Amino acid sequence: MYLLIAKNPQKILSTAEVEKQDEATTLDIFPQAESHHLLAWWEGEEIPEQFEIDAAGNLRELSDVQLIERGLLELSAYEVLQEGKIVAKQIDQLVEEGLLTLKPGERVVDNRVQSIPMEQKVAMGLISIRTPFEFVEADEIKERTLEEVLQKPEVVTTLEEAQQVEQEFYKSIEQAVAQAFSPGYELKLTKDYTLWMAEGSPDGDSRQSKFEHMQQEIATLKYGFSEQKAKVRALVAGFQ
């Protein structure tokens, strides 16, 4: 395809779908051409917007490098020239230049932002877990019950963790008592019993029997924790 091109500003004025001819002049192809017009040959289909004409009269598309050098194209902060082509910057380069901020727990792997494995997040202090009742497995935080910890004491590795197990144990007893006797009810019986004693402990008073029954029930309930209590004591003693 022949092209008729104006010099300044450079602009395509007309095209001619004819075969390439040896030593063809501008007027041979475009009789209407003027002296300041140029003749060029283009092999492609879509004519580029930015081009130059080489010594052989062929129209050449300007490369990215040429476009930048001539001020016709400007790289964005996220682009770079690589082997003469404009390409996106690598993720790690964007991070290094402050154009991309990684969130806590993220890293760049193979030019992709990935989440750091959960175990590593815990080791780095990005995520706190309540050991030994919480642990990382298959990149997830999982939980252990008090009974599971006592059945597998090797998961407790420090005195602090052993003391946490002890606190959890006594907390479980308090919860069991609260389920059996609500705090308000327990307080009422205790208050009534105190008044009964202040009145000289009269015989046959239900305040005494109710309070003593509650105390007996609580003692029985706590006795059910005896096996766990022995394990907890042994666990704590092992670190002292």
Side-chain angles (χ1 to χ4, degrees), residues 107-134:
R107 62 180 178 179
V108 179
V109 179
D110 297 330
N111 200 38
R112 291 185 298 173
V113 177
Q114 294 183 351
S115 178
I116 294 174
M118 185 63 68
E119 189 171 353
Q120 192 172 344
K121 288 181 182 178
V122 172
M124 294 171 65
L126 297 174
I127 292 180
S128 298
I129 62 173
R130 184 169 166 262
T131 56
F133 297 103
E134 293 181 334

Side-chain angles (χ1 to χ4, degrees), residues 1 7 9 27 30 40 53 78 86 93 146 183 190 198 206-207 209-210 228:
M1 176 193 300
K7 282 185 179 181
L27 292 175
F30 298 101
I53 302 172
Y78 298 87
I86 297 175
Q93 186 176 354
L146 174 64
T190 302
S206 63
R207 291 176 293 180
S209 60
K210 287 180 179 180
Q228 279 192 345

Side-chain angles (χ1 to χ4, degrees), residues 53-121:
I53 302 172
D54 64 18
N58 296 309
L59 185 138
R60 303 288 185 190
E61 182 176 7
L62 294 180
S63 66
D64 290 340
V65 174
Q66 291 173 314
L67 290 172
I68 292 171
E69 289 176 345
R70 299 183 188 188
L72 300 171
L73 181 63
E74 184 176 348
L75 290 176
S76 76
Y78 298 87
E79 296 174 327
V80 67
L81 272 176
Q82 183 174 312
E83 297 181 356
K85 293 291 183 181
I86 297 175
V87 297
K89 289 180 179 178
Q90 296 288 302
I91 298 297
D92 53 359
Q93 186 176 354
L94 294 176
V95 173
E96 183 179 346
E97 295 177 0
L99 297 170
L100 176 65
T101 301
L102 296 179
K103 297 177 183 178
E106 291 182 335
R107 62 180 178 179
V108 179
V109 179
D110 297 330
N111 200 38
R112 291 185 298 173
V113 177
Q114 294 183 351
S115 178
I116 294 174
M118 185 63 68
E119 189 171 353
Q120 192 172 344
K121 288 181 182 178

